[in-house]
Amino acid sequence: MRVHLVNPSDLAFGTAVITPRWPYVLAAATPERYGTPHIVDETLEHFDLRQVSPGDVVGIGIHTANALRGYRIGREARARGAWVVFGGIHSTLFPDEVREHGAAHAVVSGDGELVWPRVLDDCAAGSPLERYDGGRIAGSEFVSARWDLLPADRYMWGSVQTVRGCPKHCSFCSVWRTDGQKPRQRSVAAVIREVTALRRLGFRYILLADDNFYPVALSDLEAASRRADRTRHEMLLALRRERFELMERLAELPDDMVFFTQITMEAAEDPEFLDAMRRARIRGALVGIESVTPEGLKAVYKNFNSAGEDLVAHLQAFRAHGVHVLGSFIFGLPTDTPSTFDATVDLARRAGVTFAQFVMLTPFPGTLDFAKWEKEATGIPEVDGVPLTRYWLIPPSRRPKIYLPHPVMQAAEIRERTQRAWDRFYALPAIWERSVCARSLRGRAAFVLISRLYRHMYANTGIATASARVARPRRRARLLAGLARRLFVARPMPDLPVPDQSGTIATRPSAPA
Ligand code: SF4
């Protein structure tokens, strides 16, 4: 019985920016008796199903965007006689759909790593259950990924998770509902072991792939300190202390390492935290800005963000502490008007945002926005017999780009203006101006290359509808990705000592985590 773990994707670029985590985590959770799993990341190349034999297990992890591709793989794998097991956020939300469309024998909901050995045992015995509930496991139980199975020369950045869950409740986001609002932090030693394993392989850029790297804001501490019961305050203080401890340990790693994470804007009000980030060489962070107006923020339940000039000051605070911001903006909010698009790009440039992404409001399953849409929608249009409230079942080429009706703009206008925002922010002169953040000419050239790559990978392919405008960026992205990879990787350090479970550095090299 061979175990295949497949990360589905319609688009394959040959080179990928960030290592996917879940297949390497499940590989680590796979008992030795089932051999080394065969991992297929379709963002690199498509899965050759001829490799599947009767009795194999094909594990497919899906989120909403790649569900349709995952279903196709599931059906074909089952037709070849394999046990088909689905997991991931989308499977957790729609287990019946996964069985119907993906021909799943079994669906795993929640965190998969602890329940995975049981799923494999049941498949080996010929009687998998229809449902397995992985639940929400504690941070101390997170399994470290088997990075020794990574293919050589395919990825630019490694990824390590340090915390799951987010205490906020933004209306467009499913993280707080699926991963929970209670932050589940991994031990510092476990994180450092994984990071070290990646640096040994030559990865010096690491994404701290967290829902929110800053799970305890100063305002949370303040609110908790006013309660008579001290328990919550102490718990939050402990979480905060652990964050600082982690950053101290990251700072001790080889000095060519660079980290990037995802964080809420409140961190800008916490100079002590930002200073620790700088020392840890966390040089960049994705910040969900979403909207530049207070009305827009209210619409997405993100009132804790700043707007207008206050927003500019917050974003500049990151820069002042050496943390580059990848600002994420949403277009198509009910409060947006035609002038919002240019105003957003202007603000992003004025605030010194290093990278930006402009996404169109999409009601993702598991979010409050989706629940409201599904509940209130009447006379929902269909494409090829599929109602729009199940848009992920529509083939990507036929899928609309905008789903929610807007009070003052048509879908085409939102799409075109969003495309123009990308074009403006990533125009060559604008990129060159921003590239002053790099010290050398070579550094500036690298910045330009990476900015163009980012735009081609994430902008045109997602927004454009004309096939030429989709195909050209894909080719460019493929070419640029190959070039950019060389900028990120470093010489492997196979002798770099890996701390043991207690966090102690071994005196002689040990095997990767
Ligand atoms: S968008 Fe960010 S801050 Fe809001 S709930 Fe999701 S992870 Fe948390």
Side-chain angles (χ1 to χ4, degrees):
M1 181 181 102
R2 194 175 181 209
V3 178
H4 309 264
L5 298 170
V6 188
N7 187 39
S9 173
D10 288 303
L11 297 180
F13 291 107
T15 304
V17 179
I18 298 163
T19 50
R21 272 191 71 73
W22 77 262
Y24 294 92
V25 168
L26 282 200
T30 301
E32 260 181 52
R33 59 184 172 278
Y34 298 119
T36 301
H38 169 222
I39 295 176
V40 182
D41 176 11
E42 290 204 309
T43 66
L44 299 176
E45 65 239 323
H46 278 148
F47 184 25
D48 178 358
L49 277 126
R50 288 172 304 185
Q51 300 183 57
V52 175
S53 303
D56 284 358
V57 173
V58 176
I60 305 166
I62 53 169
H63 46 85
T64 300
N66 67 359
L68 194 60
R69 170 69 192 154
Y71 292 160
R72 189 166 158 198
I73 294 168
R75 289 193 302 271
E76 290 181 21
R78 185 158 182 162
R80 295 186 70 84
W83 296 110
V84 174
V85 183
F86 274 83
I89 293 177
H90 196 82
S91 306
T92 302
L93 295 168
F94 295 100
D96 295 336
E97 177 189 291
V98 170
R99 259 190 300 277
E100 185 190 340
H101 291 267
H105 289 95
V107 180
V108 180
S109 58
D111 299 327
E113 55 251 67
L114 294 191
V115 81
W116 183 238
R118 186 174 159 214
V119 176
L120 291 177
D121 287 346
D122 290 352
C123 288
S127 52
L129 302 177
E130 281 194 354
R131 293 285 300 273
Y132 293 87
D133 184 5
R136 285 182 194 149
I137 62 175
S140 57
E141 294 175 308
F142 293 1
V143 172
S144 293
R146 272 201 64 184
W147 295 123
D148 58 306
L149 299 180
L150 273 177
D153 305 336
R154 306 303 286 276
Y155 296 98
M156 302 181 208
W157 290 41
S159 62
V160 176
Q161 190 171 42
T162 77
V163 58
R164 260 178 227 170
C166 175
K168 308 298 183 194
H169 57 274
C170 305
S171 68
F172 57 87
C173 175
S174 61
V175 158
W176 59 279
R177 301 182 92 190
T178 51
D179 281 351
Q181 289 183 284
K182 192 167 164 242
R184 293 173 284 151
Q185 280 182 185
R186 284 177 87 189
S187 78
V188 171
V191 173
I192 297 296
R193 276 171 63 79
E194 257 198 72
V195 171
T196 309
L198 283 161
R199 181 61 193 89
R200 283 164 64 116
L201 294 170
F203 287 96
R204 72 183 190 94
Y205 281 81
I206 306 286
L207 172 72
L208 302 175
D210 299 325
D211 297 327
N212 178 2
F213 188 77
Y214 184 65
V216 182
L218 290 179
S219 54
D220 299 328
L221 278 171
E222 224 177 276
S225 72
R226 286 197 294 270
R227 288 190 188 181
D229 179 359
R230 311 295 298 160
T231 323
R232 181 170 164 75
H233 188 240
E234 274 154 28
M235 187 266 288
L236 294 180
L237 276 177
L239 286 175
R240 181 174 165 87
R241 266 196 305 274
E242 263 179 42
R243 292 278 89 178
F244 278 91
E245 194 193 325
L246 171 64
M247 290 190 277
E248 274 166 33
R249 298 292 306 280
L250 290 175
E252 292 164 4
L253 291 168
D255 62 8
D256 66 350
M257 297 201 74
V258 174
F259 301 91
F260 188 93
T261 191
Q262 186 156 297
I263 205 163
T264 48
M265 200 185 295
E266 296 154 308
E269 295 160 12
D270 192 342
E272 196 188 352
F273 198 88
L274 291 180
D275 281 337
M277 284 176 74
R278 176 172 25 207
R279 286 194 297 276
R281 280 169 275 115
I282 302 176
R283 297 257 193 264
L286 186 148
V287 178
I289 300 168
E290 328 307 357
S291 171
V292 298
T293 66
E295 304 78 44
L297 293 172
K298 198 168 167 216
V300 294
Y301 299 178
K302 205 153 184 169
N303 308 43
F304 59 87
N305 264 10
S306 311
E309 288 316 301
D310 196 27
L311 167 60
V312 173
H314 273 72
L315 294 172
Q316 286 173 344
F318 283 105
R319 270 302 278 276
H321 286 81
V323 179
H324 291 276
V325 170
L326 190 175
S328 182
F329 300 89
I330 301 178
F331 286 141
L333 300 174
T335 52
D336 286 352
T337 66
S339 65
T340 304
F341 300 81
D342 274 348
T344 302
V345 176
D346 291 343
L347 186 138
R349 291 175 68 171
R350 200 151 44 87
V353 165
T354 311
F355 292 93
Q357 64 182 28
F358 306 98
V359 299
M360 291 176 293
L361 181 63
T362 303
F364 285 111
T367 65
L368 294 178
D369 285 350
F370 184 87
K372 186 166 178 272
W373 179 44
E374 208 183 21
K375 192 166 158 223
E376 292 176 359
T378 48
I380 281 285
E382 296 188 351
V383 176
D384 300 341
V386 180
L388 279 197
T389 43
R390 292 292 177 273
Y391 57 86
W392 52 90
L393 296 176
I394 301 168
S397 60
R398 311 248 313 129
R399 212 176 282 170
K401 305 288 179 191
I402 302 235
Y403 303 98
L404 301 172
H406 193 274
V408 295
M409 287 181 284
Q410 295 295 318
E413 183 178 2
I414 296 173
R415 209 185 62 237
E416 278 155 26
R417 288 185 184 277
T418 302
Q419 182 74 60
R420 223 174 304 147
W422 280 94
D423 290 347
R424 272 193 69 208
F425 190 83
Y426 288 98
L428 263 178
I431 296 176
W432 185 247
E433 211 175 279
R434 286 196 294 277
S435 72
V436 288
C437 63
R439 286 189 205 109
S440 63
L441 192 62
R442 186 170 181 270
R444 290 187 77 173
F447 184 89
V448 172
L449 180 67
I450 292 156
S451 296
R452 298 298 284 183
L453 172 68
Y454 188 76
R455 178 238 167 86
H456 286 306
M457 271 191 162
Y458 297 102
N460 295 358
T461 50
I463 300 169
T465 47
S467 60
R469 195 149 191 191
V470 173
R472 218 178 317 125
R474 274 188 210 161
R475 284 197 298 275
R476 276 194 209 145
R478 188 177 264 275
L479 183 73
L480 291 173
L483 290 172
R485 193 187 162 274
R486 287 181 219 152
L487 295 170
F488 288 112
V489 291
R491 195 187 291 272
M493 297 176 79
D495 295 332
L496 185 66
V498 177
D500 63 21
Q501 299 291 0
S502 69
T504 310
I505 304 275
T507 46
R508 63 188 168 77
S510 58

